[in-house]
Amino acid sequence: MAAKLSGGGGGKYQVEQNSEINVTPFVDVMLVLLIIFMVAAPLATVSVEVKLPRAVAPPAQNPPKPIFISIQDDGDVFIGDFRTDVASMGTELTTQIGRRNPADERIFIRADQQTRYGDFMQVMNALQDSGFYSVALVGEDTSKQ
């Protein structure tokens, strides 16, 4: 791409087109990076030999199966697939988790869109009265539609 700065037949203001790429700065940067990595690589390795003791850790237990509470639009409450009522829900959850601490358990609540707020709050109050404080609300994932 040439630019002509003055009229006429050229002279000292004529600029010619240059189609060559100057790679010298690129090569300079690459050589500097190569030297930096050649110096830094040996510094990153450990050269002191140490006999490490064996680590014998007990295998981690699998996380417990999640507990889902479902509330239908007519107020019916289910723990997993089994129907229950709000009054006995706490004792059923306590027997289901066994000897684990109820405060450490996460309870997932699924509720219909038409569920009354009062029904939902009865379930929440029953969970808190039984010592279950970690509650997660499950919603429909609409990001893949």
Side-chain angles (χ1 to χ4, degrees), residues 78-97:
F78 292 83
I79 297 177
D81 295 332
F82 303 104
R83 186 174 182 187
T84 185
D85 59 341
V86 177
S88 62
M89 183 177 59
T91 56
E92 290 180 18
L93 285 173
T94 305
T95 57
Q96 187 173 354
I97 66 167

Side-chain angles (χ1 to χ4, degrees), residues 37-56:
F37 285 119
M38 287 174 60
V39 170
L43 296 176
T45 60
V46 178
S47 60
V48 177
E49 187 176 331
V50 176
K51 288 191 174 188
L52 297 174
R54 288 186 174 232
V56 182

